[in-house]
Amino acid sequence: MTGPSVVKTGSTRFVVFFIVLNLCLWVEARSSEPQHASFPPRGWNSYDSFCWTISEAEFLQTAEIISKRLLPHGYQYVVVDYLWYRKKVEGAYVDSLGFDVIDEWGRMHPDPVRWPSSKGGKGFKEVAEKVHRMGLKFGIHVMGGISTQAYNANTLVLDSVKGGAYEESGRQWRAKDIGIKEKACVWMSHGFMSVNTKLGAGKAFLRSLYRQYAEWGVDFIKHDCVFGTDFNIEEITYVSEVLKELDRPVLYSISPGTSVTPRLAKEVSQLVNMYRITGDDWDTWKDVAAHFDITRDLSASSMIGAQGLQGKSWPDLDMLPLGWLTDPGSNFGPHRACNLNLEEQKTQMTLWSIAKSPLMFGGDVRKLDDATYNLITNPTLLEINSYSSNNKEFPYITATTVSRNKHKGHPHHPMGKNISTKHAFSLTSCKEPKANTWSIVDKNRGKICWNQYSSEKLEKPFCLYNRKALLSFDEELKHNQFYQGKLHLQTNDKAESCLGASSQQKLTSKDYSRGALSPCKLDANQMWELHSNGTLENIYSGLCAVLNPVKAEASSSGVRSWIATGRRGEVYVAFFNLNQVKTTISAKISDIAKALPNKKNLEGASCKSHEVWSGKDFGPTKDSVSVQVEPHGPALFVLHCSHA
């Protein structure tokens, strides 16, 4: 009796041991695999130089140059930006309708005139193969939801798992079953609308899109009109799930980034690899300066290099509009030089690098001048961008303007000027405590007000009034049924102007995202719901309305500084002069030591320093680093410190 029992127990133990051993080996193998987006992604995007008009010949010519000149410096992604499916003919523009190439399932396909290799339904397969042979990775821009053109054509929804039309509840499902016409992309209202992801057919449509992109050989997806004030967490979440299921890794980027806060970033960071944190960045100084506050906030919230989709995620400061460019929304390609002067370009590249933003160059590489090439391939900046750690804004600096009347400066404030403060309407995550501040003041008049007894007291309460909808048209009646019980808000002094939650045009980085007054329309963008907890939620984005203090001119004046640790023990210190006059900026070594973890041994150490942009060597010093910085320019120190 005991013999067989012992044999059985031994066999079981062996099987268990074998399973555990294999599990450990599997975990070890998985942990040794490189993470997706281990470093901030680097590459080129067509938008800044071609807008939407790029052709296959122009793209492949560009990719060939990048493979030879920029790939050795880590620029590996080449991305076709939006509207690659739009026919470039008279009448077609960014928000036109009826000029797109779609298949029988309502999916976008490249315009065969601009992309001849796509004929016969081949999509981007041949382009992707050619890009891969160059050693590069291929990316495309896509819009959220489904196109208005597919909705109007009422195309069938593809079931990409079973093949054929998607069937449920005994019928085939179509575009009009899943498209939410009332939730059109605000800045491209004729182009795309949201998809109902609560429906199996809505999920099937999105799945069919991203499986097709993978079949084409796409390595990078830039997903637009789903983030910031266009927030669509349902679609982001489902697309992220679909990408996990694919048999090839696809880097996932979302945009735009107006009204992004650390709280909002935390809601999406694990679902993606890149997420925009400002509006579109163009070649103006105000656009560059607008990035300092939000980068500070996200670094302080430990969002740089946080857990992301199958790897890490990175706050994205948008493309680098340097070199030879076009204009926003243009119908033609590169035709002008960058408007930023060299100091401003160096500031942009330095901030993007030390804040560890993805580096996506936007200029026309066919006319890449030496100054721009040397800037985007600077070895110290690229080292910092990939390998530095503990990256954060450093506020303990002093500044003195170099002029007859010297003024002592303070970080984050204009120097020698008074600061006026005003309050501006903006949007944030409804989970933010400060969003719970609205209350009904007059139910009969539909009057709601921002709580004047909050910590940010206003001289006069900010109030809105619910507009009584006109019921004279069938379309309006239909919309009223869709928005039953929702608020349509207007200010008292502009009775026909209503408050919306997203701009009707693409905002640039300098545009402070706030509620826009525009002619009243019964669209989701202008519909609100007041919850019992005091939050005022927008139906289009799911974000909540707040009032924020805004300091006039603070975004474009003053001095700023960032610090980081190098992988070989060096310390990086970047100074930024946002003033219009030359300024001397200084930082104490002891303050830098206190701000960096495990760097207290810097105290009392002797530091030699090299300033990257001037090429000068300084030191040794035990006290501070100090330098005159040109207007709108940076200084970048590399410190090597020791007690010897």
Side-chain angles (χ1 to χ4, degrees):
M1 296 290 294
T2 57
S5 177
V6 171
V7 171
K8 185 177 181 181
T9 303
S11 300
T12 302
R13 287 175 178 169
F14 176 77
V15 170
V16 171
F17 171 77
F18 182 78
I19 292 173
V20 171
L21 176 62
N22 278 276
L23 181 61
C24 290
L25 291 172
W26 179 82
V27 170
E28 183 180 356
R30 292 282 292 181
S31 62
S32 64
E33 292 177 2
Q35 279 193 315
H36 201 30
S38 297
F39 307 107
R42 202 175 295 166
W44 177 85
N45 180 291
S46 64
Y47 179 62
D48 289 347
S49 46
F50 288 93
C51 194
W52 67 274
T53 65
I54 193 167
S55 68
E56 181 172 338
E58 291 166 329
F59 181 77
L60 290 176
Q61 182 186 11
T62 296
E64 186 70 37
I65 296 169
I66 291 170
S67 70
K68 294 174 180 176
R69 300 196 67 190
L70 296 181
L71 179 59
H73 302 280
Y75 290 84
Q76 62 175 330
Y77 291 96
V78 285
V79 182
V80 183
D81 212 88
Y82 70 164
L83 306 183
W84 35 267
Y85 36 81
R86 185 148 299 172
K87 300 173 184 176
K88 190 180 177 183
V89 295
E90 187 176 351
Y93 59 97
V94 169
D95 194 26
S96 58
L97 176 60
F99 296 95
D100 295 340
V101 179
I102 60 174
D103 67 9
E104 60 182 310
W105 309 108
R107 300 178 300 179
M108 318 311 292
H109 275 253
D111 169 24
V113 176
R114 286 194 289 144
W115 302 87
S117 71
S118 70
K119 292 177 181 177
K122 290 184 290 186
F124 278 122
K125 278 186 179 180
E126 289 191 15
V127 170
E129 288 172 359
K130 290 178 181 179
V131 165
H132 292 156
R133 286 197 294 269
M134 297 176 195
L136 299 168
K137 294 185 178 181
F138 177 64
I140 60 172
H141 172 289
V142 300
M143 293 292 293
I146 189 170
S147 73
T148 305
Q149 190 167 321
Y151 181 91
N152 291 343
N154 205 19
T155 53
L156 286 166
V157 173
L158 173 65
D159 187 336
S160 57
V161 176
K162 298 180 180 178
Y166 180 84
E167 296 186 3
E168 187 181 345
S169 302
R171 69 181 182 92
Q172 295 181 337
W173 289 66
R174 293 181 174 271
K176 289 187 176 180
D177 298 319
I178 63 171
I180 306 176
K181 193 174 183 180
E182 294 79 9
K183 291 186 70 173
C185 176
V186 178
W187 61 266
M188 196 190 287
S189 58
H190 294 102
F192 290 82
M193 65 184 73
S194 294
V195 161
N196 190 340
T197 55
K198 293 181 175 64
L199 298 173
K203 292 180 178 179
F205 175 76
L206 292 175
R207 189 188 308 117
S208 73
L209 293 181
Y210 289 87
R211 285 192 169 192
Q212 176 175 254
Y213 302 148
E215 290 170 2
W216 287 348
V218 171
D219 307 292
F220 180 110
I221 295 285
K222 178 181 174 183
H223 194 186
D224 207 337
C225 210
V226 291
F227 194 44
T229 51
D230 303 290
F231 194 39
N232 189 336
I233 189 62
E234 292 83 8
E235 183 161 331
I236 294 170
T237 301
Y238 186 68
V239 169
S240 184
E241 292 174 3
V242 172
L243 294 179
K244 280 183 185 177
E245 298 170 357
L246 299 177
D247 58 2
R248 61 195 313 277
V250 176
L251 189 145
Y252 187 27
S253 168
I254 58 174
S255 69
T258 46
S259 283
V260 171
T261 61
R263 172 85 66 170
L264 199 61
K266 287 179 180 178
E267 289 187 40
V268 302
S269 60
Q270 294 190 8
L271 303 172
V272 302
N273 304 112
M274 291 168 51
Y275 53 96
R276 278 271 297 284
I277 58 175
T278 64
D280 286 2
D281 178 76
W282 277 94
D283 53 328
T284 71
W285 171 244
K286 287 186 177 180
D287 272 9
V288 175
H291 291 78
F292 280 90
D293 285 352
I294 183 61
T295 22
R296 172 202 61 205
D297 296 344
L298 289 178
S299 66
S301 303
S302 302
M303 297 308 298
I304 296 176
Q307 182 65 37
L309 174 62
Q310 298 178 300
K312 294 186 178 182
S313 62
W314 306 94
D316 177 17
L317 301 186
D318 201 14
M319 283 90 72
L320 294 160
L322 309 173
W324 200 244
L325 308 170
T326 188
D327 299 305
S330 174
N331 266 23
F332 51 95
H335 63 278
R336 65 175 180 84
C338 173
N339 288 318
L340 298 172
N341 65 39
L342 185 56
E343 290 300 319
E344 292 167 343
Q345 293 180 46
K346 289 191 292 188
T347 287
Q348 179 165 38
M349 190 68 189
T350 304
L351 178 63
W352 265 235
S353 297
I354 202 164
K356 294 181 77 76
S357 169
L359 299 179
M360 304 298 289
F361 179 57
D364 184 357
V365 297
R366 301 171 305 173
K367 294 187 66 172
L368 184 57
D369 60 281
D370 290 343
T372 304
Y373 176 78
N374 292 335
L375 182 63
I376 65 175
T377 61
N378 182 286
T380 303
L381 293 182
L382 299 185
E383 169 75 19
I384 293 172
N385 185 248
S386 288
Y387 300 111
S388 61
S389 57
N390 304 312
N391 306 64
K392 65 183 74 173
E393 185 171 89
F394 177 70
Y396 307 109
I397 54 176
T398 59
T400 306
T401 56
V402 182
S403 62
R404 291 181 181 178
N405 299 316
K406 294 185 178 181
H407 299 281
K408 288 293 183 181
H410 302 280
H412 313 309
H413 293 286
M415 304 197 316
K417 293 184 179 180
N418 294 323
I419 303 170
S420 61
T421 301
K422 60 182 179 178
H423 285 79
F425 170 91
S426 64
L427 299 167
T428 188
S429 168
C430 294
K431 297 177 183 178
E432 292 276 7
K434 68 177 180 179
N436 306 333
T437 327
W438 294 89
S439 59
I440 299 174
V441 175
D442 187 336
K443 191 172 184 179
N444 292 328
R445 295 176 64 197
K447 181 180 179 181
I448 66 169
C449 296
W450 177 258
N451 190 343
Q452 59 182 311
Y453 301 108
S454 68
S455 58
E456 296 168 0
K457 291 183 179 179
L458 307 179
E459 295 178 3
K460 184 179 179 181
F462 179 82
C463 298
L464 298 164
Y465 300 82
N466 189 26
R467 177 177 180 266
K468 291 183 180 179
L470 303 174
L471 303 179
S472 54
F473 299 101
D474 292 341
E475 187 69 16
E476 199 159 1
L477 281 168
K478 177 184 175 184
H479 281 46
N480 281 329
Q481 291 169 1
F482 188 85
Y483 295 119
Q484 187 75 32
K486 303 300 184 291
L487 300 174
H488 198 194
L489 299 172
Q490 62 187 28
T491 58
N492 194 33
D493 58 337
K494 293 186 178 180
E496 289 307 311
S497 294
C498 289
L499 197 64
S502 186
S503 174
Q504 294 182 346
Q505 60 184 13
K506 294 195 79 176
L507 295 178
T508 64
S509 297
K510 69 182 177 183
D511 294 321
Y512 187 83
S513 179
R514 64 193 72 187
L517 287 173
S518 55
C520 295
K521 293 175 62 179
L522 292 176
D523 290 337
N525 176 46
Q526 292 186 352
M527 293 297 170
W528 304 85
E529 185 170 5
L530 181 63
H531 297 288
S532 58
N533 65 353
T535 56
L536 182 63
E537 180 186 355
N538 179 253
I539 304 307
Y540 171 71
S541 66
L543 299 176
C544 282
V546 295
L547 284 190
N548 287 323
V550 178
K551 292 176 180 177
E553 300 187 65
S555 64
S556 60
S557 300
V559 293
R560 308 297 273 263
S561 177
W562 274 67
I563 56 175
T565 306
R567 56 175 168 168
R568 301 178 184 90
E570 67 272 31
V571 174
Y572 300 109
V573 181
F575 293 150
F576 300 97
N577 178 17
L578 277 61
N579 293 297
Q580 296 181 12
V581 294
K582 188 180 291 187
T583 302
T584 299
I585 307 176
S586 306
K588 292 182 179 180
I589 301 294
S590 57
D591 286 334
I592 297 171
K594 293 173 186 176
L596 291 172
N598 304 319
K599 285 295 178 183
K600 290 187 178 180
N601 60 345
L602 284 180
E603 296 185 32
S606 177
C607 299
K608 293 181 179 180
S609 61
H610 173 76
E611 201 286 304
V612 172
W613 295 118
S614 65
K616 293 181 180 179
D617 292 319
F618 296 83
T621 179
K622 293 185 177 182
D623 182 36
S624 63
V625 288
S626 181
V627 70
Q628 285 188 8
V629 185
E630 295 294 326
H632 294 179
L636 177 59
F637 287 96
V638 184
L639 304 182
H640 295 274
C641 304
S642 68
H643 287 274

